[in-house]
Amino acid sequence: DQVHQSQILAYRPGVDANDAREAFIARLDGPVPGLPSPQTIGSTGIYSAGLGSTFILDEPIQSGRTYAFACYVQDREGGPPHVNAYDMYAFVMVE
């Protein structure tokens, strides 16, 4: 019933998935000085359930880096973004 999208965030080399997750969660309410800050490297379009999307990244995925995927759209009826309302985010460290 809802639409989604995914913003792809890259953390600097050396930030592991656990550190990225802790920093990301802490930053959901606003900036926190001193915590790892990701760079947005791409975003999918908005799509409906059962459909997919393709996208091009601003930089290639690199070994040894951690990436986050987060949905920043709201429900059709409004409300907070899915990243806040439903913890709709995931982290991957590429080996």
Side-chain angles (χ1 to χ4, degrees), residues 40-55:
T40 300
I41 62 167
S43 181
T44 67
I46 295 176
Y47 51 94
S48 297
L51 299 177
S53 177
T54 60
F55 53 93

Side-chain angles (χ1 to χ4, degrees), residues 30-82:
V32 180
L35 291 180
S37 180
Q39 172 188 0
T40 300
I41 62 167
S43 181
T44 67
I46 295 176
Y47 51 94
S48 297
L51 299 177
S53 177
T54 60
F55 53 93
I56 297 173
L57 299 175
D58 295 337
E59 64 180 51
I61 298 291
Q62 298 175 19
S63 179
R65 290 188 72 183
T66 297
Y67 297 88
F69 300 83
C71 180
Y72 286 94
V73 296
Q74 306 170 299
D75 284 350
R76 292 178 191 267
E77 301 79 27
H82 292 165

